[in-house]
Amino acid sequence: MQVYVCCHAFVQVCKGSFAVWGGLFSTIDCGLVRLRGKEDPWNSIASGAMTGAVLASRSGPLAMMGSAMMGGILLALIEGVGILLTRYTAQQFQNMSPLVDDPSQLPPKDPDHQGGRGFGQYQ
């Protein structure tokens, strides 16, 4: 029973910390999108760095710098892997070039005969 109580308390602390991190990250990310006027991976990287710095601000400037670097590096890795996966999977879905018929090999067009196709076949 003690293990459950201990784990339950730890989970509550982790939930709160993750919520604070996520809220701060989203706030900074949306602010950067508004400030810069575009949404790209640099916003997420800068948001991760700024979030790390703000959350470590009570520990001093050295801890802020270290947390900012770790936050920026972590988000850069996440964004980089996302870009690589997008490019890799996009190659699988590229359209094949359509086969173009040689116009000289096609039969001549007869404007009066539609080959049994079209609306005239039902009249």
Side-chain angles (χ1 to χ4, degrees):
M1 187 67 175
Q2 269 186 334
V3 173
Y4 173 75
V5 172
C6 183
C7 289
H8 185 68
F10 180 72
V11 167
Q12 297 301 322
V13 170
C14 286
K15 280 193 322 187
S17 297
F18 187 76
V20 169
W21 188 91
L24 188 58
F25 176 83
S26 296
T27 302
I28 294 172
D29 193 33
C30 289
L32 287 174
V33 168
R34 174 81 172 149
L35 184 69
R36 295 182 67 224
K38 57 183 170 180
E39 191 164 344
D40 59 1
W42 291 110
N43 289 342
S44 296
I45 294 168
S47 297
M50 288 183 204
T51 300
V54 169
L55 291 177
S57 62
R58 293 187 297 170
S59 301
L62 188 60
M64 284 178 67
M65 185 65 88
S67 291
M69 288 177 56
M70 287 305 297
I73 290 170
L74 179 66
L75 265 295
L77 289 173
I78 291 170
E79 289 292 325
V81 167
I83 291 169
L84 287 176
L85 285 175
T86 301
R87 287 187 182 173
Y88 176 73
T89 56
Q91 291 175 357
Q92 296 176 357
F93 298 108
Q94 287 180 350
N95 292 336
M96 299 287 290
S97 60
L99 298 175
V100 180
D101 293 330
D102 184 12
S104 64
Q105 302 297 323
L106 295 174
K109 291 185 178 181
D110 185 10
D112 296 331
H113 185 262
Q114 296 180 359
R117 298 184 194 266
F119 296 112
Q121 67 187 6
Y122 296 110
Q123 296 176 354

